[in-house]
Amino acid sequence: MPTERPDWLTEPCPAWCSGDHDGQQYPADRHHQSPPHWHPAVMQHRDHDGHHPTRFPTATEFCVVAVRYVGERDTWIAIATETQQLEFSHENAKRLHAELDGLLRRMA
């Protein structure tokens, strides 16, 4: 839900921005963000006890969101969990999409 526009935000929000800039008091935190789209997932967790590596599935959630830092031109596509985030350029996100699509087709 959009909040009141903060005084420090002098540039217009992109059309895809959720408009929620609450909690962005510090310049390093200021960004435009699309609404996050959360998805349930099962990810493989890896652990090592010093002698034997173990792998086991773990239920989690991830979101896909567009991010543009205030004052910058580039928009990033982020894939994030509660603890990790990968940010891809628009071009790299398109390449990742094509690569995943091709891999899934080959596996079918």
Side-chain angles (χ1 to χ4, degrees):
M1 187 87 183
T3 59
E4 187 176 319
R5 189 173 175 85
D7 293 338
W8 55 260
L9 187 57
T10 58
E11 65 187 54
C13 287
W16 46 262
C17 181
S18 69
D20 185 3
H21 293 283
D22 198 30
Q24 297 181 0
Q25 294 85 358
Y26 299 104
D29 296 334
R30 296 174 182 172
H31 62 278
H32 301 285
Q33 179 176 308
S34 67
H37 292 273
W38 286 93
H39 305 274
V42 177
M43 299 175 78
Q44 181 164 245
H45 178 77
R46 297 169 188 257
D47 203 354
H48 197 281
D49 66 3
H51 300 287
H52 306 287
T54 57
R55 296 180 302 273
F56 50 91
T58 304
T60 190
E61 287 184 314
F62 72 93
C63 76
V64 179
V65 64
V67 177
R68 181 185 306 156
Y69 296 95
V70 171
E72 297 183 10
R73 291 180 172 204
D74 295 326
T75 299
W76 299 89
I77 308 302
I79 301 172
T81 67
E82 289 292 329
T83 59
Q84 298 175 307
Q85 181 164 311
L86 297 171
E87 293 182 8
F88 298 92
S89 69
H90 188 265
E91 185 59 39
N92 287 137
K94 287 178 14 182
R95 281 190 227 143
L96 176 61
H97 179 270
E99 184 62 35
L100 287 171
D101 185 55
L103 178 60
L104 291 170
R105 287 175 192 271
R106 291 188 299 275
M107 291 173 62

